[in-house]
Amino acid sequence: MKPVIFIRPQPGCDSSVAAARKLGLDAHGFPLFTVSPKTWDAPDPETFDALLIGSANALRHCGKALMAYREKPAYTVGATTAQACRDGGLEVVVAGEGGLQTVLGQLEAGHARLLRLCGTARIALDPPGGVTIDECIVYSSDPVPAPDELVRLLAQPAIVVLHSGEAARHFQTLCSERQIEKSLISLAAIGPRVADAAGDGWQETRVAQHPTDTALLALAQQMCEDQSGSHQKEQTSRQGLMQDQTGFQAMAAARPPRRSRRSQIGVVLLAFTLGAGLVAWSAWQGYLDRFFADSSSLSQQESQAAAGTPLADDAPE
């Protein structure tokens, strides 16, 4: 089974690895990002109608300032982020999928002034008409080099799971820097945008049916099953071919060699030549004269016997 590798930041990386191992996958975690809080000034809560939060990291690292927004309506992405908002005392209005841009299409009436708590790496949003968005950067997600253990693991075919476009771009860069063979690696992406960020040259790239952790994990499992089945079919095909070749060789060895027509003619000519030579040699040695003389005498004796004359050998002594 191919190893399944998760590169998302902690604590999500460990939770993904644990869930994958419960499914029987050969899962490994290598967080290629470190997340740390950023100093920020919390705006007056009264100047905003609701919050926009696209990652649970915003709740984990925004600090005590979050208390100022308790009971504010919140629009989030994903079940994990929604639960973190509830744990922080926020009222979750929408827990959407596919990114905050999709969530903006589900705003309730009266929620026109939005405060976005986000990280340094973020996607630009296009708000609907009449809606304004202020951003506060409360955390940073910084890429880290690939550990040697990960590089060794990627020297063989593997499946890498991508949760974000930032992770996809960073992983592509690492492969170039560490001379990792991309054609050995299959990618499982949480969405089309993430797959596009990874670029080309991979063994294959698939996108989860829904932009959720559950769907992404199911995709990784399906890829393992599909590739294991393909490998088994290839081995079966090779074994069948080897058996066919072995059977053909055995039949060829058991079959007696067939002489060509030219060989048969050569044998006949050789026999004729040897026979003619034997006759000529017999004539040269005088054997033929004696043979014919003996034959003539025998014929005479046979004639006399037929007429009643006793043969010489039978005469009385």
Side-chain angles (χ1 to χ4, degrees):
M1 177 182 294
K2 285 186 178 182
V4 179
I5 300 171
F6 297 87
I7 62 173
R8 65 188 304 199
Q10 295 289 25
C13 189
D14 283 347
S15 64
S16 293
V17 169
R21 287 177 177 172
K22 286 182 179 180
L23 295 175
L25 303 181
D26 181 21
H28 305 263
F30 297 92
L32 293 184
F33 297 87
T34 57
V35 180
S36 56
K38 299 282 288 185
T39 302
W40 65 293
D41 295 325
D44 182 359
E46 296 301 321
T47 60
F48 300 99
D49 302 318
L51 301 180
L52 279 178
I53 302 177
S55 171
N57 284 322
L59 284 303
R60 297 186 185 109
H61 298 284
C62 66
K64 296 181 179 179
L66 182 65
M67 298 298 295
Y69 302 97
R70 288 181 65 87
E71 299 182 0
K72 278 283 186 181
Y75 292 85
T76 71
V77 176
T80 301
T81 305
Q83 187 58 50
C85 286
R86 295 187 185 98
D87 294 342
L90 302 176
E91 177 191 355
V92 177
V93 180
V94 173
E97 297 179 357
L100 286 176
Q101 186 61 53
T102 302
V103 172
L104 289 176
Q106 305 175 56
L107 295 177
E108 293 186 358
H111 294 166
R113 300 174 302 167
L114 306 178
L115 174 63
R116 181 185 185 185
L117 303 181
C118 56
T120 51
R122 59 199 183 279
I123 298 173
L125 299 176
D126 182 18
V131 175
T132 61
I133 300 176
D134 286 3
E135 293 183 341
C136 283
I137 298 175
V138 301
Y139 73 95
S140 65
S141 181
D142 302 311
V144 299
D148 292 339
E149 184 181 354
L150 173 59
V151 176
R152 287 193 295 270
L153 195 59
L154 293 175
Q156 61 182 327
I159 297 173
V160 175
V161 182
L162 301 176
H163 284 79
S164 68
E166 184 182 8
R169 286 185 288 270
H170 180 43
F171 182 66
Q172 183 184 41
T173 300
L174 286 179
C175 288
S176 298
E177 292 176 349
R178 300 300 297 269
Q179 297 181 345
I180 295 171
E181 183 56 56
K182 294 170 62 177
S183 63
L184 295 176
I185 302 171
S186 300
L187 301 181
I190 198 168
R193 177 180 58 82
V194 176
D196 292 341
D200 301 322
W202 311 100
Q203 185 178 77
E204 69 167 331
T205 301
R206 296 193 200 178
V207 177
Q209 292 185 351
H210 304 285
T212 63
D213 289 344
T214 301
L216 185 56
L217 190 58
L219 173 63
Q221 183 182 25
Q222 185 62 52
M223 291 173 71
C224 283
E225 293 173 354
D226 291 348
Q227 293 174 3
S228 296
S230 298
H231 180 66
Q232 186 175 6
K233 287 182 180 179
E234 183 179 353
Q235 282 188 325
T236 302
S237 177
R238 287 180 179 177
Q239 290 175 355
L241 180 59
M242 291 176 64
Q243 290 174 354
D244 290 344
Q245 290 177 342
T246 302
F248 176 79
Q249 291 172 355
M251 290 175 61
R255 185 183 302 143
R258 303 175 67 181
R259 295 177 178 175
S260 66
R261 186 175 183 84
R262 181 176 298 178
S263 298
Q264 294 174 348
I265 294 173
V267 171
V268 173
L269 290 176
L270 178 61
F272 178 80
T273 302
L274 290 175
L278 181 60
V279 171
W281 180 80
S282 298
W284 179 65
Q285 294 293 330
Y287 293 144
L288 289 182
D289 293 339
R290 296 174 189 173
F291 173 77
F292 287 122
D294 292 343
S295 298
S296 175
S297 175
L298 180 59
S299 298
Q300 252 182 344
Q301 292 174 2
E302 289 176 348
S303 297
Q304 291 174 0
T309 306
L311 296 178
D313 291 341
D314 294 339
E317 295 181 348

